[in-house]
Amino acid sequence: MPNRDRGGSRLETGPLYSLNVRDHFMIAHSFRGEIFGPAQRLHGATYVVDATFRREELDADGLVVDIGLASTTLKAVLGELDFRNLDEEIAFMGQNTTTEFLARAIFDRLVVAIRGGRLGDGARGLQRVSVTLHESHVAWASFEGPV
Amino acid sequence: MPNRDRGGSRLETGPLYSLNVRDHFMIAHSFRGEIFGPAQRLHGATYVVDATFRREELDADGLVVDIGLASTTLKAVLGELDFRNLDEEIAFMGQNTTTEFLARAIFDRLVVAIRGGRLGDGARGLQRVSVTLHESHVAWASFEGPV
Amino acid sequence: MPNRDRGGSRLETGPLYSLNVRDHFMIAHSFRGEIFGPAQRLHGATYVVDATFRREELDADGLVVDIGLASTTLKAVLGELDFRNLDEEIAFMGQNTTTEFLARAIFDRLVVAIRGGRLGDGARGLQRVSVTLHESHVAWASFEGPV
Amino acid sequence: MPNRDRGGSRLETGPLYSLNVRDHFMIAHSFRGEIFGPAQRLHGATYVVDATFRREELDADGLVVDIGLASTTLKAVLGELDFRNLDEEIAFMGQNTTTEFLARAIFDRLVVAIRGGRLGDGARGLQRVSVTLHESHVAWASFEGPV
Amino acid sequence: MPNRDRGGSRLETGPLYSLNVRDHFMIAHSFRGEIFGPAQRLHGATYVVDATFRREELDADGLVVDIGLASTTLKAVLGELDFRNLDEEIAFMGQNTTTEFLARAIFDRLVVAIRGGRLGDGARGLQRVSVTLHESHVAWASFEGPV
Amino acid sequence: MPNRDRGGSRLETGPLYSLNVRDHFMIAHSFRGEIFGPAQRLHGATYVVDATFRREELDADGLVVDIGLASTTLKAVLGELDFRNLDEEIAFMGQNTTTEFLARAIFDRLVVAIRGGRLGDGARGLQRVSVTLHESHVAWASFEGPV
């Protein structure tokens, strides 16, 4: 076990189930800061979103999460952003809505939904969620964290 | 040959070579007209673009078109649109910049580039061009026509 | 124009706009005939479906077809097959529901929908429809025909 | 190191090599339980399967695992399920063969193959395996665990 | 029918069934001619190959072509090129083995196989074949012609 | 928390942001050792490369890493390998340049670039990098490690 002395290795970890649902949303936005170059201009993006739910053991129905509820909840969360100019959204005031920032924002909303029971009782056993936003065929960003 | 009497069947046509290069651009825009529903709001899109060049016979170098020139020309054409709000582009004033409309607009610019020799002398033998814009993992539109 | 004498070449054809929407359905079925080998057993498939609508000129709204109506109509057509055992569907009695056969069956239902106005008045100008069923990462079949 | 006090962070872990091979299988099945809605009916699925093998250090040949043996072993494991009605498989009696359940079942069989030497001697150094089943263009499930 | 006077329009053509199988091969080669720039050096490529078979009417089994025979024949044709340096293949002496050239070469070999009955008797009704070689995530070339 | 006694579980880890950019390179090479079978012959590959950058907290600009610098650095690193015969590269003498080996080699070069400031000052906060090489539609390998 070569890495033992470095602390908890990923290779020592136990089993992990994951389930992923995909959807998308389309927004306009602009960035502030010279580092963003031409992206300082008002432009937009399609984000194809993968929401991945993770847990060590399946629920009583043999599921990570009810895929129907996962899909409708993801659609509802993305629906709050879809077809909008994020520069005018109060929730994002003063923020550069970068892909990684948006991945986190969607993660936060999914965690609220899980805790609020919107993904069903079985989903209360979810331990981690990962949200990936594909912004083109060559770039994506994600945020993963504990529920 | 069941369809003979309907006129020239696609199945009677001769050989056809195609070469495709892919790139992308990211824009903001809005649509006018009730049919567009929430897309009447300012939003945006990533378009992953496939430019396909077609001809019956290869050029003297055994090519449909120089892939390097095809890629740089496509990037230049998309660069005129990238990171922009299409609602403010003079070229598109009074137009709904739907995906199918943009596919045609990019086709037109590629044809001008071909005729102007920007894809090399061999490219003057190109006979058709197809431009496909992928707007998400579930939708795309294209325009194909003669050079 | 080397192929002129072979009849109408695809390269002589005019412009063509296309718009594609994607959805999926999941079914059980079996095939009869030795040529099908192990597929004679009851098994199943996920079909990821691309419905492509084609026309020479855009409608009054600058569209091939209303993408919202196209998506909901495709979902409705696939919903009649989704989560079913096709061996027990009266519509397919005595038929091997091969991928190519199903592509045609879905095409036929989309054409009925178009003619019946379910895709909107603008869609009456559609000239061709193509239906592609992806049955795995290595195989697909399609049917394309006039509306 | 902000998360140190939470225990072994993934960010403290050492290096990890992975190798993935892809194949697919096509089955019929049905689910029991109201939560499954229309999926309680007999239906089916194509599962495109990614089997990912992981280890901290390469074997003597500079490999994670012999890709040829990995591919043929995956095909053999999937061949035991392919073109079958899982409702009639003794191995799965009384089980809902959900995507996450099947990912685990295939994982278990791959681990048996590794331990039995079917992936070669070098493969005895494999430390983790992940199995992902893509059931459509918008959904997948996986199971990952130690060998 | 706006394009009627331009000759046989693609939109006047009849129905068309297609079936596609995918496989891949990996080769080394180099190109001669300044237009090829750094590709004049010995390098290589993975080509992911789509072989598409087309016909107006299905055969007696309700098929475009036996998918098993299509897959094994494609694998056999690619096997003659796989893991080779094309600069040393007698069949390609004096040729730049560009992607479009290779698409045609594979097409020719598939047509020989069809005519020789290697895809079964039903395959004698095939009317067109298309071969597409994906050389990366951003480029592909194809050749399509009559059988 | 079932796995607690096994050491640091992945499920106990904190948040993690990732950003990925994709590019490709095309090389020739051969392998030594009977285990490689026909791959002992000179052949080649296209590698589509995903470089994934990871950190627990975003930098002052709300970024994992400047995507422009990440893309140009990846292109520069791959440019040192692109259109080459790896059997003749001094850096790889005496090595089988397997996909997993190359993933590590590119990882090492990206880490040097990060430490040397080529991805910007913000990138000094990067904690892990993963490099995945897709060698076909059915196989990939990756290496992930700490910066």
Side-chain angles (χ1 to χ4, degrees), chain D residues 106-128:
Chain D
I106 293 167
F107 167 90
D108 288 341
R109 294 172 185 208
L110 288 175
V111 168
V112 168
I114 291 166
R115 290 184 182 153
R118 288 168 58 193
L119 278 83
D121 280 345
R124 292 183 198 277
L126 288 170
Q127 292 163 294
R128 290 182 73 80

Side-chain angles (χ1 to χ4, degrees), chain A residues 6 9-10 12-16 35-36 56-57 98 100 104 127-128 135 137-146, chain F residues 2-3 6 8-11 13-22 52 58 61-64 66-67 144 146:
Chain A
R6 278 193 236 174
S9 163
R10 184 172 167 188
E12 296 171 22
T13 61
L16 189 62
I35 195 174
F36 294 102
E56 289 176 307
E57 295 178 4
T98 61
E100 41 271 68
R104 172 65 182 266
Q127 291 164 293
R128 292 182 72 79
E135 71 176 57
H137 63 307
V138 290
W140 55 258
S142 71
F143 178 78
E144 176 166 348
Chain F
N3 291 302
R6 278 194 237 175
S9 162
R10 185 172 168 188
L11 292 168
T13 60
L16 189 62
Y17 288 96
S18 301
L19 183 128
N20 185 83
V21 291
R22 177 172 285 194
T52 314
L58 298 181
D61 293 305
L63 299 174
V64 171
D66 180 323
I67 193 172
E144 176 165 349

